């Protein structure tokens, strides 16, 4: 009898009938929103997800993977959550949306100590030299707007490379996600106020948690209630401020 019960329990575990968590969250390495630090997944979005789950009285298991793999598992797992996810028209029907959790804002960033870098429009910004990541969507957008490589547009392989050029004044501004700018400032041990967004290049979309459409709607509603509670009591703003110091 005992052996039979053990066999049934094994089948249940292997078949995924028993879950240690209410949700399984999948994410990528995208600091400071989500990243690995000493074997632990952390970052603004990760911390916020844990806060929301805790407030709703639920548990979450978080796994960091390459984005394509994270997306696939989140879509296959009825308890899956994918983050940090930009809400787009193409993705609208693929998930239950929990958020927004932050604006997705790409800026032309300058050093606050350079008042002479003072563009009043994107067209006016062509008076200056702007850094961007080679072959990125942002670089291509700048080219569409009339920036020319080798003249008004300077390309580099990464945000880190562009940031170093900005500090060395080899470029006047860099095109960068504001979250990535905050991360680069922290990596270079600079206070974020030493940087200044000169212009906003794009702020047309928001970041969300994407929940599998097969998820328990009662649980999803509880998460939405908790997220709104954290928004109203200032917890989200306080968490964001920690990453933009």
């Amino acid at each position: 009898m005992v052996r039979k019960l053990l066999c049934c329990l094994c089948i249940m575990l292997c078949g995924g009938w028993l879950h240690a968590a209410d949700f399984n969250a999948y994410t990528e390495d995208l600091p400071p929103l989500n990243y690995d630090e000493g074997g632990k997944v952390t970052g603004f979005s990760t911390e916020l997800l844990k806060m929301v789950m805790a407030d709703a009285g639920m548990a979450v298991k978080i796994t960091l993977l390459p984005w394509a793999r994270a997306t696939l598992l989140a879509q296959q797992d009825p308890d899956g959550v994918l983050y940090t996810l930009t809400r787009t028209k193409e993705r609208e029907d693929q998930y239950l949306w929990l958020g927004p959790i932050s604006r997705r804002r790409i800026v032309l960033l300058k050093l606050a100590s350079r008042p002479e870098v003072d563009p009043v429009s994107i067209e006016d910004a062509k008076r200056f030299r702007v850094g961007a990541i080679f072959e990125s969507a942002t670089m291509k957008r700048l080219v569409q707007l009339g920036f020319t490589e080798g003249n008004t547009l300077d390309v580099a392989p990464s945000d880190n490379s562009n940031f170093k050029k900005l500090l060395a004044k080899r470029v006047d501004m860099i095109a960068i996600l504001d979250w990535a700018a905050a991360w680069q400032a922290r990596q270079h041990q600079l206070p974020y106020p030493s940087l200044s967004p000169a212009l906003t290049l794009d702020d047309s979309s928001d970041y969300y948690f994407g929940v599998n459409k097969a998820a328990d709607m009662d649980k999803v509603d509880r998460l939405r209630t908790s997220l709104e509670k954290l928004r109203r009591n200032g917890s989200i703003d306080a968490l964001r401020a920690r990453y933009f110091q």
Side-chain angles (χ1 to χ4, degrees), residues 42-227:
T42 186
F44 168 81
S45 299
T46 302
E47 289 193 57
L48 178 55
L49 180 61
K50 290 178 179 179
M51 288 167 59
V52 172
M53 290 285 176
D55 186 81
M58 287 184 272
V60 60
K61 178 183 178 183
I62 299 174
T63 304
L64 190 144
L65 297 163
W67 185 246
R69 180 66 174 160
T71 300
L72 179 63
L73 290 178
Q75 291 174 344
Q76 292 177 339
D77 186 345
D79 297 320
V81 177
L82 183 67
Y83 75 98
T84 302
L85 189 62
T86 304
R87 187 170 183 172
T88 64
K89 184 177 181 180
E90 294 74 21
R91 290 171 172 162
E92 185 62 34
D93 295 330
Q94 297 178 7
Y95 301 93
L96 300 174
W97 297 95
L98 179 60
I101 60 174
S102 173
R103 199 72 176 162
R104 180 184 179 273
R105 184 168 175 247
I106 299 173
V107 299
L108 294 184
L109 191 76
K110 70 168 191 171
L111 298 176
S113 60
R114 296 192 63 188
E116 74 279 9
V117 181
D118 57 351
V120 297
S121 66
I122 294 298
E123 186 64 28
D124 189 43
K126 295 174 188 175
R127 294 189 290 120
F128 304 97
R129 192 166 177 83
V130 177
I133 297 177
F134 180 65
E135 286 300 301
S136 66
T138 300
M139 174 200 157
K140 293 175 182 177
R141 177 59 178 155
L142 288 170
V143 170
Q144 289 175 348
L145 291 169
F147 289 80
T148 55
E149 187 176 344
N151 184 13
T152 52
L153 182 61
D154 183 279
V155 297
S158 66
D159 281 331
N160 186 50
S161 297
N162 276 323
F163 200 85
K164 289 178 179 178
K165 288 183 180 182
L166 181 69
L167 296 179
K169 299 182 181 179
R170 291 171 55 193
V171 295
D172 302 306
M173 297 176 285
I174 58 174
I176 190 170
L177 183 70
D178 60 352
W179 281 106
W183 172 256
Q184 290 298 330
R186 179 180 293 190
Q187 296 303 102
H188 288 82
Q189 298 182 331
L190 290 173
Y192 190 72
S194 66
L195 307 170
S196 177
L199 291 172
T200 297
L201 188 60
D202 181 24
D203 65 349
S204 59
S205 56
D206 294 302
Y207 284 128
Y208 284 74
F209 299 114
V211 183
N212 191 292
K213 295 184 75 172
D216 185 321
M217 281 306 303
D218 287 339
K219 290 183 178 180
V220 175
D221 287 341
R222 284 165 56 192
L223 293 179
R224 286 173 172 158
T225 298
S226 291
L227 180 63

Side-chain angles (χ1 to χ4, degrees), residues 4-52:
K4 184 175 181 180
L5 289 173
L6 288 174
C7 287
C8 290
L9 179 60
C10 182
I11 292 172
M12 291 169 67
L13 288 170
C14 293
W17 295 357
L18 297 183
H19 301 278
D22 295 278
F23 288 96
N24 302 307
Y26 305 93
T27 189
E28 65 172 337
D29 184 58
L30 183 67
L33 295 169
N34 18 269
Y35 62 97
D36 180 277
E37 186 173 71
K40 179 182 177 182
V41 186
T42 186
F44 168 81
S45 299
T46 302
E47 289 193 57
L48 178 55
L49 180 61
K50 290 178 179 179
M51 288 167 59
V52 172

